[in-house]
Structures are given as C-alpha cells and as structure tokens.
Amino acid sequence: MPSEQFDARSKGLVLTTAGGLALSFDIPLVRLADGDIWPVLALRNLSTFALAFVILLILRRVGDGRVPFRLSIRSLAASALYGLSTMAFIAAVYQTTTANLVFIVAFNPMFGALLSWFFLKERPSSATLATMAIMVCGVALIVGDGMAAGHLFGDLLALACGFLIAAALTIGRASKEPMGFAPLMGTLLPGMTGLVMASQTGFAISDPQWVLLDGAVMMPLAFWCLATGPRYLPAAEVGMFYLLETILAPIWMWLIFTEAPSRMTLIGGTIMLLGLIGNSVLQVWLSRRVQPGV
C-alpha cells in the first residue's frame, strides 16, 4: 500500500473513531436534560449550528485559503439529509428504547453499501451481501419486538435515520467535496423546526446544560469527524464506526438510568453486531492476503 494511501486511511480511522465515541454520549445527554422534544430539538441543534457558524467564519478568516465548506447542490443536499436524520433520531429517542434505536441505526452501513452500489457502481463484496442478509434478520427481530411492545413508530424512525445518514455519506463519497461542516450546517433545519414548534408548546427543559453540552461540544465533534471520514474511507466503512454508539450508548443508559434492553432486542442486536464485526474482520484479513507487506 503506498504511504500516501496508508496515511489517508490512518487519518480516516482516527477521525471516525473519535466521531463514533463522541456520538455515543448523544442519547444519555438528551435524556439527562429531561425536556420536551421540541425545545430539546431546538436547543441542541441551534447550539450546534451557532458554534459551527462561528468556527466556519474563523477558518475563512485565518485559514490557509482552503474552503472548509462550499455551497453546492451536493453539499446542500447532504446537509438537508443530515438535518432530517437528526429530526428522525431525536423523535425516536422519545418513541423507543435506546437499545432499539442504536441497533437499528447501525443498519446504516448496509444502506450505504446498497446506495454506493446503485449510484457509485461500487459493488459490495460477497461477504458484505451476506452481512446484509444477517443484519436484515436482526433488524426484523428488533422491529418485531417493537411492534409487540408498542413502539413500532420509534423503530421505523430509527430505520429512517439510518437510511438518511447513509444517503448523506454516499453523497459525500461521490462529491469529493469538503463535507466536514455539512452535518453541522444541516442542524439549522431541525433547530428552526424545533424552535417554531416549541414557541407553541412551551420551552420546558429541566436541565438545559446537558443539551448544551451535547449540542455545542459532542455533536459538532462527532458530526465533523464522521462526515470527513468518507474523504479517506468508503462510505460503508465509515458507517461502521457508528457501531461505537451502538455498543456504548446502551451501556451508558444502563449505568445512568438502569434502562435494560429486552431479550429479543439483545438477540437481534447481537446478530447485527456479530455480522458487522465478522464482515470487518474478514475484509481486513482479505486485504492483508492481497498485500502481505502491509
């Protein structure tokens, strides 16, 4: 593997790992705020947008001439998709369990693989296709359990969130444009939507400092890292780093709120995680066989 390619891949791995770790604190911080959905949506996303806008202005003034975010049809489309995914995600926090939400959102790498295959002609490997079939079984178990428990709508919102994230990542992969600020700019849509709705229902948040920590620190870090990842890694591979949230968020919720997932959710989630981890390990093993010197 050429040193330039190795360096780019290493940079992508560091960025996406940091992004996935920061993302794992999203749901616990939202729950800790103890607020209604609309004011939480507004405060979380408008604080993210305000910080991103200030950073963008600073970078344009003191940067090296490179444009950190370029207005284009693709960047606007990616931003809109990220904004819609955020709305689906926050709504799902209020409509289903944390474990169901993060396990279903973890299906986004498979959406990414399908979208890349259809639009970018990047045909997934046989191992990835097999992983898709395994993960469909896992999602079916979780959604079926959601139907029985009465939170099917929340599970469908989580599935929509995964698809929207995959679509945004695919656009970033195809465009080759700097997309690090696309999800941050996309927070304006859910932020303004939440603000309009909260003006009618009220701004009830018991502990807003947790939402501010989430919106002004954790989410900008997570969004920028994960959105920059496709410049160095395939979209489907970047999506796999959302697994850090899948694994860690239910642990944080169990430690803080003693929220335990159902037996069927654990079974379905384990099937999905094993499928994704097995596919990742196999891909690494195959790449080393092809390039034994790496």
Side-chain angles (χ1 to χ4, degrees), residues 25-35 40 44 89-90 93-94 210-211 214:
F25 293 98
D26 187 16
I27 298 175
L29 290 173
V30 169
R31 289 281 183 88
L32 281 169
D34 189 22
V40 167
R44 175 187 183 271
F89 183 86
I90 295 298
V93 170
Y94 288 81
W210 296 116
V211 183
D214 189 33

PDB file of all heavy atoms in Angstrom, residues 25-35 40 44 89-90 93-94 210-211 214:
ATOM      1  N   PHE A  25     -22.453   9.526  23.399  1.00  0.00           N
ATOM      2  CA  PHE A  25     -22.985  10.271  24.536  1.00  0.00           C
ATOM      3  C   PHE A  25     -24.249  11.052  24.190  1.00  0.00           C
ATOM      4  O   PHE A  25     -24.840  11.706  25.072  1.00  0.00           O
ATOM      5  CB  PHE A  25     -21.930  11.241  25.085  1.00  0.00           C
ATOM      6  CG  PHE A  25     -20.753  10.558  25.714  1.00  0.00           C
ATOM      7  CD1 PHE A  25     -19.577  10.378  25.012  1.00  0.00           C
ATOM      8  CD2 PHE A  25     -20.834  10.079  27.010  1.00  0.00           C
ATOM      9  CE1 PHE A  25     -18.491   9.740  25.591  1.00  0.00           C
ATOM     10  CE2 PHE A  25     -19.753   9.440  27.602  1.00  0.00           C
ATOM     11  CZ  PHE A  25     -18.577   9.268  26.886  1.00  0.00           C
ATOM     12  N   ASP A  26     -24.682  10.999  22.947  1.00  0.00           N
ATOM     13  CA  ASP A  26     -25.809  11.816  22.493  1.00  0.00           C
ATOM     14  C   ASP A  26     -27.092  11.501  23.254  1.00  0.00           C
ATOM     15  O   ASP A  26     -27.708  12.379  23.882  1.00  0.00           O
ATOM     16  CB  ASP A  26     -26.002  11.610  20.993  1.00  0.00           C
ATOM     17  CG  ASP A  26     -27.041  12.550  20.398  1.00  0.00           C
ATOM     18  OD1 ASP A  26     -27.388  13.554  21.057  1.00  0.00           O
ATOM     19  OD2 ASP A  26     -27.495  12.293  19.271  1.00  0.00           O
ATOM     20  N   ILE A  27     -27.536  10.255  23.208  1.00  0.00           N
ATOM     21  CA  ILE A  27     -28.811   9.890  23.833  1.00  0.00           C
ATOM     22  C   ILE A  27     -28.788  10.094  25.348  1.00  0.00           C
ATOM     23  O   ILE A  27     -29.741  10.671  25.909  1.00  0.00           O
ATOM     24  CB  ILE A  27     -29.191   8.435  23.479  1.00  0.00           C
ATOM     25  CG1 ILE A  27     -29.384   8.293  21.968  1.00  0.00           C
ATOM     26  CG2 ILE A  27     -30.477   8.026  24.197  1.00  0.00           C
ATOM     27  CD1 ILE A  27     -29.647   6.873  21.522  1.00  0.00           C
ATOM     28  N   PRO A  28     -27.738   9.665  26.065  1.00  0.00           N
ATOM     29  CA  PRO A  28     -27.731   9.929  27.517  1.00  0.00           C
ATOM     30  C   PRO A  28     -27.846  11.407  27.863  1.00  0.00           C
ATOM     31  O   PRO A  28     -28.550  11.768  28.824  1.00  0.00           O
ATOM     32  CB  PRO A  28     -26.372   9.354  27.962  1.00  0.00           C
ATOM     33  CG  PRO A  28     -26.056   8.308  26.956  1.00  0.00           C
ATOM     34  CD  PRO A  28     -26.597   8.822  25.666  1.00  0.00           C
ATOM     35  N   LEU A  29     -27.169  12.271  27.104  1.00  0.00           N
ATOM     36  CA  LEU A  29     -27.234  13.697  27.406  1.00  0.00           C
ATOM     37  C   LEU A  29     -28.631  14.260  27.132  1.00  0.00           C
ATOM     38  O   LEU A  29     -29.129  15.113  27.887  1.00  0.00           O
ATOM     39  CB  LEU A  29     -26.188  14.449  26.590  1.00  0.00           C
ATOM     40  CG  LEU A  29     -24.731  14.197  27.001  1.00  0.00           C
ATOM     41  CD1 LEU A  29     -23.772  14.863  26.028  1.00  0.00           C
ATOM     42  CD2 LEU A  29     -24.477  14.692  28.421  1.00  0.00           C
ATOM     43  N   VAL A  30     -29.264  13.802  26.055  1.00  0.00           N
ATOM     44  CA  VAL A  30     -30.633  14.238  25.763  1.00  0.00           C
ATOM     45  C   VAL A  30     -31.580  13.796  26.870  1.00  0.00           C
ATOM     46  O   VAL A  30     -32.434  14.566  27.335  1.00  0.00           O
ATOM     47  CB  VAL A  30     -31.089  13.686  24.392  1.00  0.00           C
ATOM     48  CG1 VAL A  30     -32.600  13.892  24.205  1.00  0.00           C
ATOM     49  CG2 VAL A  30     -30.340  14.363  23.262  1.00  0.00           C
ATOM     50  N   ARG A  31     -31.433  12.556  27.332  1.00  0.00           N
ATOM     51  CA  ARG A  31     -32.304  12.051  28.396  1.00  0.00           C
ATOM     52  C   ARG A  31     -32.049  12.775  29.715  1.00  0.00           C
ATOM     53  O   ARG A  31     -32.972  13.018  30.500  1.00  0.00           O
ATOM     54  CB  ARG A  31     -32.085  10.554  28.561  1.00  0.00           C
ATOM     55  CG  ARG A  31     -32.632   9.702  27.409  1.00  0.00           C
ATOM     56  CD  ARG A  31     -34.131   9.506  27.509  1.00  0.00           C
ATOM     57  NE  ARG A  31     -34.636   8.647  26.459  1.00  0.00           N
ATOM     58  CZ  ARG A  31     -34.702   7.326  26.541  1.00  0.00           C
ATOM     59  NH1 ARG A  31     -34.266   6.712  27.640  1.00  0.00           N
ATOM     60  NH2 ARG A  31     -35.180   6.612  25.550  1.00  0.00           N
ATOM     61  N   LEU A  32     -30.784  13.105  30.001  1.00  0.00           N
ATOM     62  CA  LEU A  32     -30.454  13.800  31.239  1.00  0.00           C
ATOM     63  C   LEU A  32     -31.093  15.188  31.299  1.00  0.00           C
ATOM     64  O   LEU A  32     -31.385  15.702  32.380  1.00  0.00           O
ATOM     65  CB  LEU A  32     -28.933  13.928  31.390  1.00  0.00           C
ATOM     66  CG  LEU A  32     -28.184  12.687  31.882  1.00  0.00           C
ATOM     67  CD1 LEU A  32     -26.679  12.879  31.716  1.00  0.00           C
ATOM     68  CD2 LEU A  32     -28.528  12.393  33.339  1.00  0.00           C
ATOM     69  N   ALA A  33     -31.301  15.798  30.131  1.00  0.00           N
ATOM     70  CA  ALA A  33     -31.888  17.143  30.091  1.00  0.00           C
ATOM     71  C   ALA A  33     -33.324  17.150  30.593  1.00  0.00           C
ATOM     72  O   ALA A  33     -33.799  18.164  31.121  1.00  0.00           O
ATOM     73  CB  ALA A  33     -31.838  17.699  28.678  1.00  0.00           C
ATOM     74  N   ASP A  34     -34.022  16.039  30.431  1.00  0.00           N
ATOM     75  CA  ASP A  34     -35.402  15.911  30.919  1.00  0.00           C
ATOM     76  C   ASP A  34     -36.277  17.046  30.397  1.00  0.00           C
ATOM     77  O   ASP A  34     -36.822  17.845  31.164  1.00  0.00           O
ATOM     78  CB  ASP A  34     -35.421  15.887  32.447  1.00  0.00           C
ATOM     79  CG  ASP A  34     -36.805  15.543  33.008  1.00  0.00           C
ATOM     80  OD1 ASP A  34     -37.601  14.928  32.264  1.00  0.00           O
ATOM     81  OD2 ASP A  34     -37.088  15.912  34.161  1.00  0.00           O
ATOM     82  N   GLY A  35     -36.418  17.090  29.064  1.00  0.00           N
ATOM     83  CA  GLY A  35     -37.228  18.143  28.464  1.00  0.00           C
ATOM     84  C   GLY A  35     -38.162  17.602  27.404  1.00  0.00           C
ATOM     85  O   GLY A  35     -38.065  16.446  26.991  1.00  0.00           O
ATOM     86  N   VAL A  40     -35.917  20.639  23.219  1.00  0.00           N
ATOM     87  CA  VAL A  40     -34.653  19.904  23.171  1.00  0.00           C
ATOM     88  C   VAL A  40     -34.091  19.906  21.753  1.00  0.00           C
ATOM     89  O   VAL A  40     -32.897  20.139  21.532  1.00  0.00           O
ATOM     90  CB  VAL A  40     -34.843  18.455  23.679  1.00  0.00           C
ATOM     91  CG1 VAL A  40     -33.625  17.596  23.331  1.00  0.00           C
ATOM     92  CG2 VAL A  40     -35.074  18.443  25.180  1.00  0.00           C
ATOM     93  N   ARG A  44     -30.558  21.885  21.203  1.00  0.00           N
ATOM     94  CA  ARG A  44     -29.453  21.009  20.783  1.00  0.00           C
ATOM     95  C   ARG A  44     -28.905  21.416  19.430  1.00  0.00           C
ATOM     96  O   ARG A  44     -27.687  21.543  19.225  1.00  0.00           O
ATOM     97  CB  ARG A  44     -29.933  19.564  20.744  1.00  0.00           C
ATOM     98  CG  ARG A  44     -28.919  18.545  20.199  1.00  0.00           C
ATOM     99  CD  ARG A  44     -29.621  17.201  20.078  1.00  0.00           C
ATOM    100  NE  ARG A  44     -28.761  16.130  19.630  1.00  0.00           N
ATOM    101  CZ  ARG A  44     -28.564  15.812  18.352  1.00  0.00           C
ATOM    102  NH1 ARG A  44     -29.127  16.551  17.395  1.00  0.00           N
ATOM    103  NH2 ARG A  44     -27.792  14.792  18.006  1.00  0.00           N
ATOM    104  N   PHE A  89     -33.919  10.991  14.471  1.00  0.00           N
ATOM    105  CA  PHE A  89     -33.210  10.413  15.610  1.00  0.00           C
ATOM    106  C   PHE A  89     -33.781  10.923  16.935  1.00  0.00           C
ATOM    107  O   PHE A  89     -34.085  10.127  17.842  1.00  0.00           O
ATOM    108  CB  PHE A  89     -31.722  10.754  15.510  1.00  0.00           C
ATOM    109  CG  PHE A  89     -30.877  10.142  16.595  1.00  0.00           C
ATOM    110  CD1 PHE A  89     -30.377   8.863  16.446  1.00  0.00           C
ATOM    111  CD2 PHE A  89     -30.591  10.839  17.756  1.00  0.00           C
ATOM    112  CE1 PHE A  89     -29.592   8.284  17.436  1.00  0.00           C
ATOM    113  CE2 PHE A  89     -29.814  10.278  18.748  1.00  0.00           C
ATOM    114  CZ  PHE A  89     -29.312   8.995  18.587  1.00  0.00           C
ATOM    115  N   ILE A  90     -33.911  12.243  17.075  1.00  0.00           N
ATOM    116  CA  ILE A  90     -34.409  12.801  18.330  1.00  0.00           C
ATOM    117  C   ILE A  90     -35.849  12.363  18.582  1.00  0.00           C
ATOM    118  O   ILE A  90     -36.226  12.053  19.731  1.00  0.00           O
ATOM    119  CB  ILE A  90     -34.323  14.346  18.311  1.00  0.00           C
ATOM    120  CG1 ILE A  90     -32.861  14.785  18.255  1.00  0.00           C
ATOM    121  CG2 ILE A  90     -34.997  14.932  19.538  1.00  0.00           C
ATOM    122  CD1 ILE A  90     -32.040  14.369  19.444  1.00  0.00           C
ATOM    123  N   VAL A  93     -35.771   8.926  19.995  1.00  0.00           N
ATOM    124  CA  VAL A  93     -35.362   8.883  21.406  1.00  0.00           C
ATOM    125  C   VAL A  93     -36.581   8.887  22.322  1.00  0.00           C
ATOM    126  O   VAL A  93     -36.596   8.233  23.367  1.00  0.00           O
ATOM    127  CB  VAL A  93     -34.440  10.087  21.740  1.00  0.00           C
ATOM    128  CG1 VAL A  93     -34.220  10.195  23.246  1.00  0.00           C
ATOM    129  CG2 VAL A  93     -33.094   9.944  21.024  1.00  0.00           C
ATOM    130  N   TYR A  94     -37.626   9.612  21.891  1.00  0.00           N
ATOM    131  CA  TYR A  94     -38.834   9.741  22.705  1.00  0.00           C
ATOM    132  C   TYR A  94     -39.855   8.640  22.413  1.00  0.00           C
ATOM    133  O   TYR A  94     -40.862   8.547  23.112  1.00  0.00           O
ATOM    134  CB  TYR A  94     -39.491  11.103  22.466  1.00  0.00           C
ATOM    135  CG  TYR A  94     -38.731  12.260  23.065  1.00  0.00           C
ATOM    136  CD1 TYR A  94     -37.641  12.811  22.417  1.00  0.00           C
ATOM    137  CD2 TYR A  94     -39.103  12.803  24.290  1.00  0.00           C
ATOM    138  CE1 TYR A  94     -36.931  13.878  22.959  1.00  0.00           C
ATOM    139  CE2 TYR A  94     -38.408  13.864  24.858  1.00  0.00           C
ATOM    140  CZ  TYR A  94     -37.318  14.397  24.176  1.00  0.00           C
ATOM    141  OH  TYR A  94     -36.614  15.442  24.719  1.00  0.00           O
ATOM    142  N   TRP A 210     -27.224  19.993  29.937  1.00  0.00           N
ATOM    143  CA  TRP A 210     -26.857  18.741  29.275  1.00  0.00           C
ATOM    144  C   TRP A 210     -27.096  18.828  27.773  1.00  0.00           C
ATOM    145  O   TRP A 210     -26.319  18.284  26.982  1.00  0.00           O
ATOM    146  CB  TRP A 210     -27.659  17.582  29.869  1.00  0.00           C
ATOM    147  CG  TRP A 210     -27.380  17.316  31.311  1.00  0.00           C
ATOM    148  CD1 TRP A 210     -28.242  17.435  32.359  1.00  0.00           C
ATOM    149  CD2 TRP A 210     -26.128  16.906  31.880  1.00  0.00           C
ATOM    150  NE1 TRP A 210     -27.630  17.125  33.541  1.00  0.00           N
ATOM    151  CE2 TRP A 210     -26.325  16.789  33.291  1.00  0.00           C
ATOM    152  CE3 TRP A 210     -24.868  16.625  31.349  1.00  0.00           C
ATOM    153  CZ2 TRP A 210     -25.303  16.402  34.145  1.00  0.00           C
ATOM    154  CZ3 TRP A 210     -23.850  16.237  32.213  1.00  0.00           C
ATOM    155  CH2 TRP A 210     -24.070  16.133  33.583  1.00  0.00           C
ATOM    156  N   VAL A 211     -28.155  19.502  27.374  1.00  0.00           N
ATOM    157  CA  VAL A 211     -28.423  19.677  25.945  1.00  0.00           C
ATOM    158  C   VAL A 211     -27.349  20.568  25.315  1.00  0.00           C
ATOM    159  O   VAL A 211     -26.892  20.326  24.194  1.00  0.00           O
ATOM    160  CB  VAL A 211     -29.822  20.287  25.713  1.00  0.00           C
ATOM    161  CG1 VAL A 211     -30.110  20.403  24.216  1.00  0.00           C
ATOM    162  CG2 VAL A 211     -30.894  19.431  26.365  1.00  0.00           C
ATOM    163  N   ASP A 214     -24.245  18.616  24.820  1.00  0.00           N
ATOM    164  CA  ASP A 214     -24.448  17.732  23.672  1.00  0.00           C
ATOM    165  C   ASP A 214     -24.348  18.503  22.355  1.00  0.00           C
ATOM    166  O   ASP A 214     -23.618  18.118  21.439  1.00  0.00           O
ATOM    167  CB  ASP A 214     -25.816  17.057  23.785  1.00  0.00           C
ATOM    168  CG  ASP A 214     -26.008  15.959  22.758  1.00  0.00           C
ATOM    169  OD1 ASP A 214     -25.020  15.300  22.403  1.00  0.00           O
ATOM    170  OD2 ASP A 214     -27.159  15.758  22.313  1.00  0.00           O
TER     171      ASP A 214
END
